[in-house]
């Protein structure tokens, strides 16, 4: 009984103290991921249902990633200039319309073009979500908030992965339309419940914001190092949704088999994210990032030895632990290195690292699998994970254990003078 009481107390401590606006944003994230079918099963749709090659499937996925690369920086600028809420609304409505269209097009060029538009629209919301979360949550609660948001992402992913495997066997079109409807529901939640969180600008703050340009971000050496390492980590994790389904399909496994194996990822994150976050919350982020990079690389590397759904699921367990540790730690580091009035641009650049990985990973997977076989792909993942781990070890040397390195005390002043009015209005309508 005492263990149950301790577990309940731990959950209460994890979810308490966060503002209402955060929970509406969390709800929007959950609804979005509950309907996230298309990205997960695009490779299977193109290779099994439409009969295209792995190379073509990789090309389409790469165009999806290219759309994300283009929109990431633009959305970051929009987030800073127009606000978090308008950027979210535009991105979600555009995503719903383009996803629905993707389910109806049949011409290979049309599929590629619409996939590019889906990539642009879906990635445009990410800088706004991360910036809004940093705005409305106190600095000391951010790691916890990012973990809870990541928990919602994977709760939805666990449910949608299992459901989508069976939906795909019945009708891929149904999956496209369900995702479109769920994305529109997210837009409704944002419109009705989420106020604008962009910090109120004083004249001094406006001058600081005017001084933060994309070139400012590019000149920030440590931050760009984080962006580069984030790209390597994302390149590994992308293979779970690009290389893995292609490899399993070529080995004779069904979409439902892949859905059950990959659903382990979401289930484990739902079960472990909160307790693991409590364990790592005050530990050295550099060491955590090194460990997570090695687990990611060698976890995917172990896929080379998988020959059954059960063994595939075991490999998923290894790299899932890397996700659980890496996601909140790296996101918290990005916020630490971002100035208050440049969060949109900094988050846009960080988001671009994942978008570029989404562009490169499918091309890498298609080329390596077609030319050399899937075993070489998994070995390459292990090498990339090792390089990323070494990179984190070097980059994090000299980084203070706590506080905001980018702005130091100046950021704390900006938060108390600028963010507090936004936090005070989190429950009001816009």
């Amino acid at each position: 009984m005492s263990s149950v009481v301790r577990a309940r107390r731990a959950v209460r401590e994890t979810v308490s103290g966060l503002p209402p606006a955060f929970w509406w944003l969390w709800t929007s994230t959950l609804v979005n991921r509950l309907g996230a079918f298309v990205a997960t099963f695009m490779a299977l749709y193109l290779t099994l249902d439409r009969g295209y090659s792995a190379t073509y499937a990789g090309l389409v996925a790469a165009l999806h990633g290219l759309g994300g690369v283009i929109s990431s920086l633009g959305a970051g600028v929009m987030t800073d200039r127009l606000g978090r809420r308008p950027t979210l609304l535009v991105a979600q409505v555009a995503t719903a319309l383009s996803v629905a269209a993707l389910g109806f097009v049949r011409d290979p060029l049309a599929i590629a073009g619409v996939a590019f538009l889906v990539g642009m629209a879906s990635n445009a919301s990410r800088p706004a979500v991360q910036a809004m979360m940093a705005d409305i949550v106190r600095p000391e609660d951010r790691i916890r908030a990012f973990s809870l948001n990541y928990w919602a992402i994977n709760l939805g992913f666990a449910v949608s992965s299992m459901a989508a495997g069976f939906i795909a066997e019945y009708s891929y079109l149904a999956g496209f339309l369900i995702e479109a409807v769920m994305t529109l529901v997210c837009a409704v939640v944002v419109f009705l419940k989420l106020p604008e969180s962009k910090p109120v600008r004083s004249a001094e703050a406006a001058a600081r914001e005017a001084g933060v340009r994309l070139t400012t971000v590019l000149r920030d050496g440590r931050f760009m190092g984080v962006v580069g390492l984030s790209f390597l980590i994302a390149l590994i994790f992308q293979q779970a949704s690009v290389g893995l389904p292609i490899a399993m399909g070529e080995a004779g496994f069904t979409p439902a088999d892949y859905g059950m194996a990959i659903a382990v990822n979401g289930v484990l994150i739902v079960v472990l994210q909160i307790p693991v976050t409590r364990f790592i919350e005050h530990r050295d982020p550099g060491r955590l990032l090194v460990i997570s990079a090695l687990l990611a690389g060698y976890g995917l590397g172990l896929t080379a030895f998988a020959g059954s759904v059960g063994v595939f699921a075991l490999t998923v367990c290894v790299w899932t632990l890397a996700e659980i540790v890496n996601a909140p730690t790296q996101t918290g580091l990005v916020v630490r290195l971002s100035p208050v009035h440049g969060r949109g641009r900094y988050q846009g650049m960080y988001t671009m690292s994942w978008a570029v990985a989404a562009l490169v990973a499918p091309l890498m997977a298609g080329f390596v699998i077609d030319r050399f076989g899937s075993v070489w792909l998994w070995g390459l993942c292990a090498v990339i994970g090792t390089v990323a781990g070494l990179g984190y070890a070097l980059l994090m040397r000299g980084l203070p254990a706590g506080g905001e390195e980018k702005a130091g005390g100046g950021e704390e002043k900006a938060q108390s003078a600028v963010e507090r009015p936004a936090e005070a209005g989190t429950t009001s309508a816009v």
Side-chain angles (χ1 to χ4, degrees), residues 177-231:
L177 296 179
I178 291 172
E179 177 162 347
V181 171
M182 297 290 272
T183 306
L184 284 176
V185 171
C186 293
V188 171
V189 171
V190 171
F191 181 75
L192 295 178
K193 294 296 184 180
L194 276 174
E196 178 56 61
S197 67
K198 183 181 177 182
V200 179
R201 297 187 301 174
S202 62
E204 181 184 355
R208 284 200 304 269
E209 181 177 350
V212 179
R213 302 180 181 276
L214 290 178
T215 54
T216 307
V217 185
L218 291 171
R219 290 195 300 265
D220 191 332
R222 191 190 293 272
F223 181 81
M224 291 306 298
V226 172
V227 170
L229 293 172
S230 171
F231 164 75

Side-chain angles (χ1 to χ4, degrees), residues 49-72:
D49 188 69
R50 307 305 304 168
Y52 296 114
S53 67
T55 300
Y56 174 77
L59 175 63
V60 172
L63 286 172
H64 180 279
L66 178 61
V69 172
I70 293 173
S71 69
S72 295

Side-chain angles (χ1 to χ4, degrees), residues 79 82-86 132 135 194-198 422 430:
T79 297
L82 301 182
R84 287 56 161 144
R85 186 171 179 265
M132 179 175 279
D135 292 339
L194 276 174
E196 178 56 61
S197 67
K198 183 181 177 182
V430 176

Side-chain angles (χ1 to χ4, degrees), residues 231-244:
F231 164 75
L232 295 180
I233 294 297
L235 199 61
I236 297 171
F237 286 137
Q238 285 286 335
Q239 298 307 329
S241 58
V242 178
L244 184 58

Side-chain angles (χ1 to χ4, degrees), residues 244 248 251 253 257 261 303-316:
L244 184 58
M248 289 185 70
F253 293 96
D257 291 332
T303 309
F305 303 100
S308 67
V309 175
V311 178
F312 277 115
L314 287 176
T315 66
V316 171

Side-chain angles (χ1 to χ4, degrees), residues 105-131:
V105 294
R106 292 292 180 265
D107 181 78
L109 291 177
I111 291 173
V114 177
F116 172 77
L117 295 177
V118 171
M120 285 191 67
S122 60
N123 277 278
S125 64
R126 294 182 181 180
V129 169
Q130 297 296 336

Side-chain angles (χ1 to χ4, degrees), residues 149-162:
N149 191 64
Y150 198 65
W151 185 81
I153 290 172
N154 286 278
L155 175 61
F157 179 72
V159 175
S160 67
S161 294
M162 290 185 285

